[in-house]
Amino acid sequence: MKKYLYIMKTTIKDSLKYTSTLLFGFVGFAVVLITLICLWNYLYSDGTSTINGYTLNQMIWYLLLAEIISFGSGSKVATDEVRNCIKSGNIAYQINKPYNYIVYTICKYMADTSIRFILFIIVTCGLGLIFAGPIENFKIVSLLAAIPIFILAVLIMGLMKILISISAFWVEDSRPFQNVYNKLILMFGVFFPLEMFTGIIQKIIKATPIYGVAYGPAKLMIDFSSELFISVLISQTITIIVASILISIIYKRGVKKLNVNGG
């Protein structure tokens, strides 16, 4: 356990050295958010007070909070590093180290993401207060309930990205699959809340990681309910268990394939 804590501590220190570089990424992040905020302002400009149960204030804050997870979880540790490690053959050296490579990657990813997340929260809250004001009917219980949900959402993002990345044991390049996954998160979890879709699509979304990664955390912050909290927590728990099992199976088969082929 100590070695994994050391890995996280070292990763955080390394990440802090490059915060200036990370800050440049906020320019594109802010442009995207401002564009989408302007779009929703236009849609509500005809005097409509609510759209599918969302006020303009709630819609803007939903978008901002969901974007935190999407952009804040953009660490390359679970994507480029894993893919390149497998494709270059360095994985053969990693599996002989005195730690589990997958756990090592998750710890490094969570540590790197923590720095990004804090910075994105600061930027997002600033934009939210400027363009929408405080969250309507905000309750402190919403924040307390959302904190563990947000942490689990980031963990799920990492697990899903690792799951896709280890497909590099068999496919030439896993990046197209990462892009598809990211676009699905944006389209069905960030840009539009669950209520914006038809009943059938809502049921499909609830059965996917999108529900616990994007919709659930953001919805809890703007409209908390104990029923939603339990529903999201159950969804996240199931996703983590299933993703972990799949990663374990696929990784073991990938390593076995590597050993059979002589590394």
Side-chain angles (χ1 to χ4, degrees), residues 35-48:
T35 301
L36 292 172
I37 289 171
C38 291
L39 173 62
W40 282 116
N41 273 301
Y42 174 76
L43 293 174
Y44 279 86
S45 63
D46 62 352
T48 301

Side-chain angles (χ1 to χ4, degrees), residues 101-262:
Y101 176 69
I102 297 298
V103 178
Y104 159 81
T105 301
I106 293 173
C107 290
K108 190 175 179 181
Y109 165 82
M110 292 297 289
D112 185 48
T113 299
S114 65
I115 302 301
R116 301 171 59 89
F117 219 72
I118 292 172
L119 295 175
F120 274 104
I121 287 175
I122 294 173
V123 173
T124 300
C125 288
L127 289 173
L129 292 173
I130 292 172
F131 289 98
I135 300 175
E136 295 176 350
N137 303 315
F138 177 77
K139 302 174 183 177
I140 190 64
V141 67
S142 300
L143 178 61
L144 296 176
I147 289 174
I149 295 298
F150 268 85
I151 294 174
L152 291 176
V154 173
L155 174 59
I156 291 172
M157 287 290 283
L159 290 173
M160 294 303 297
K161 289 182 177 182
I162 291 173
L163 180 60
I164 296 172
S165 295
I166 58 178
S167 66
F169 278 115
W170 292 273
V171 300
E172 183 67 24
D173 191 354
S174 61
R175 280 178 295 186
F177 302 108
Q178 296 284 2
N179 291 334
V180 170
Y181 173 72
N182 291 332
K183 296 300 185 294
L184 289 174
I185 293 291
L186 289 174
M187 184 59 65
F188 295 100
V190 176
F191 293 161
F192 303 102
L194 184 69
E195 291 81 1
M196 296 295 169
F197 300 99
T198 61
I200 296 176
I201 296 180
Q202 286 187 24
K203 291 180 180 179
I204 295 174
I205 293 174
K206 285 184 176 181
T208 68
I210 298 173
Y211 182 70
V213 164
Y215 172 81
K219 181 69 172 181
L220 281 171
M221 281 291 290
I222 64 173
D223 187 17
F224 174 83
S225 72
S226 56
E227 293 81 6
L228 177 62
F229 175 76
I230 294 173
S231 175
V232 174
L233 186 60
I234 291 174
S235 174
Q236 290 183 324
T237 303
I238 293 174
T239 301
I240 290 173
I241 293 173
V242 172
S244 299
I245 292 173
L246 289 176
I247 289 173
S248 178
I249 293 173
I250 295 174
Y251 177 70
K252 287 180 180 178
R253 291 186 177 180
V255 171
K256 183 178 180 180
K257 175 177 179 291
L258 188 71
N259 291 332
V260 169
N261 292 331

